[in-house]
């Protein structure tokens, strides 16, 4: 059964002090602006408009929480790396993202969204460096796989896998396409494995 089937909006926050209190765990989704993060969330949850999809990168400026079960939350983090966002907002996002990823005790794992045509950019590596020091689970989803041929998509997947084995051996990776609904089962299976291993007893 999908973890995401019963997803519903919970709360949006703009400051760490406003993060919700609960007894469960959180799965965070992060990615560069325009990498397809909102589309991934909508595809996984089978809700076309749960997460806001915009043609203008940088629209997600809040931390958005979606409740999956009574003690399980999907956390949509602000997109990063869009140059036209004012510097003060970019600095706020940077502080918000790094502090949330490194200090949030309820955070079980991070799903990092990358456009398959532009993987492992400097800011993506920064996100990995921020989070891998916590020793929590990380899974990369190479989105928009339908934009490449199957052969080229697999070549890119293999290159990213080789890089991860060398530099971030605990990080997993997969192909994903919201348009073709490719990779949904694999993503659900991976994230469910994190929840199943969690010592907290979730409903």
């Amino acid at each position: 059964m999908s973890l995401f089937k019963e997803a519903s909006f919970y709360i949006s926050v703009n400051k760490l002090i406003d993060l919700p209190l609960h007894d469960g765990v959180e799965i965070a989704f992060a990615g560069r602006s325009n990498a397809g993060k909102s589309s991934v969330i909508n595809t996984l949850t089978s809700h076309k408009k749960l997460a806001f999809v915009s043609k203008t990168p940088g629209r997600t400026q809040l931390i958005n929480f979606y409740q999956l079960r009574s003690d399980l939350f999907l956390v949509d983090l602000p997109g990063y790396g869009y140059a036209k966002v004012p510097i003060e907002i970019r600095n706020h996002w940077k502080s918000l993202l790094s502090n949330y990823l490194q200090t949030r005790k309820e955070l079980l794992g991070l799903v990092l969204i990358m456009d398959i045509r532009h993987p492992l950019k400097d800011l993506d590596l920064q996100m990995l460096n921020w989070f891998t020091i916590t020793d929590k689970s990380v899974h990369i989803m190479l989105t928009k796989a339908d934009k490449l041929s199957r052969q080229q998509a697999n070549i890119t997947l293999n290159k990213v896998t080789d890089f991860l084995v060398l530099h971030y051996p605990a990080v997993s990776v997969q192909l994903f396409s919201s348009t073709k609904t490719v990779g949904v089962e694999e993503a659900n299976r991976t994230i469910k494995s994190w929840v199943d291993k969690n010592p907290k007893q979730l409903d």
Side-chain angles (χ1 to χ4, degrees):
M1 180 179 175
S2 172
L3 286 175
F4 305 96
K5 186 177 180 181
E6 304 298 327
S8 60
F9 176 77
Y10 188 71
I11 193 174
S12 293
V13 302
N14 190 42
K15 299 177 181 178
L16 291 174
I17 195 172
D18 295 325
L19 291 173
L21 300 175
H22 59 77
D23 295 323
V25 295
E26 300 165 3
I27 306 295
F29 281 63
R32 291 177 61 87
S33 296
N34 216 26
K37 176 167 54 68
S38 295
S39 294
V40 168
I41 292 172
N42 288 337
T43 299
L44 291 176
T45 59
S46 298
H47 288 285
K48 292 183 178 180
K49 297 182 179 180
L50 186 67
F52 184 79
V53 179
S54 175
K55 294 184 181 298
T56 304
R59 282 295 296 267
T60 303
Q61 301 181 13
L62 303 171
I63 296 181
N64 296 312
F65 284 73
Y66 301 94
Q67 189 164 19
L68 305 181
R69 303 194 313 212
S70 61
D71 293 324
L72 180 61
F73 297 84
L74 185 162
V75 183
D76 182 9
L77 298 176
Y80 54 86
Y82 188 57
K84 291 186 179 180
V85 173
I87 186 66
E88 63 271 17
I89 294 179
R90 275 188 281 153
N91 288 337
H92 171 69
W93 291 354
K94 183 176 180 179
S95 175
L96 193 65
L97 287 170
S98 62
N99 279 283
Y100 172 80
L101 291 173
Q102 293 178 342
T103 66
R104 183 67 167 171
K105 64 182 179 62
E106 292 86 357
L107 185 53
L108 185 61
L110 171 68
V111 178
L112 192 54
I113 308 301
M114 300 181 194
D115 186 325
I116 193 170
R117 299 165 296 180
H118 313 288
L120 299 173
K121 295 297 186 181
D122 288 346
L123 291 176
D124 299 323
L125 298 179
Q126 185 177 73
M127 292 291 287
L128 286 171
N129 290 332
W130 279 343
F131 193 66
T132 51
I133 61 173
T134 67
D135 290 325
K136 296 179 181 180
S137 298
V138 184
H139 184 59
I140 293 173
M141 297 175 68
L142 299 175
T143 59
K144 307 184 183 183
D146 56 284
K147 300 293 186 180
L148 301 179
S149 68
R150 180 175 297 182
Q151 180 183 20
Q152 187 58 53
N154 284 325
I155 289 173
T156 302
L157 175 63
N158 290 336
K159 287 181 178 178
V160 172
T161 300
D162 290 344
F163 177 87
L164 294 174
V165 168
L166 189 61
H167 298 284
Y168 304 94
V171 177
S172 55
V173 61
Q174 69 163 96
L175 300 176
F176 193 89
S177 168
S178 296
T179 302
K180 303 293 186 180
T181 60
V182 170
V184 173
E185 291 184 7
E186 182 177 354
N188 189 76
R189 187 166 58 248
T190 298
I191 297 168
K192 187 176 186 300
S193 72
W194 300 352
V195 175
D196 290 343
K197 292 175 184 176
N198 181 58
K200 288 187 178 184
Q201 295 298 313
L202 301 183
D203 293 341

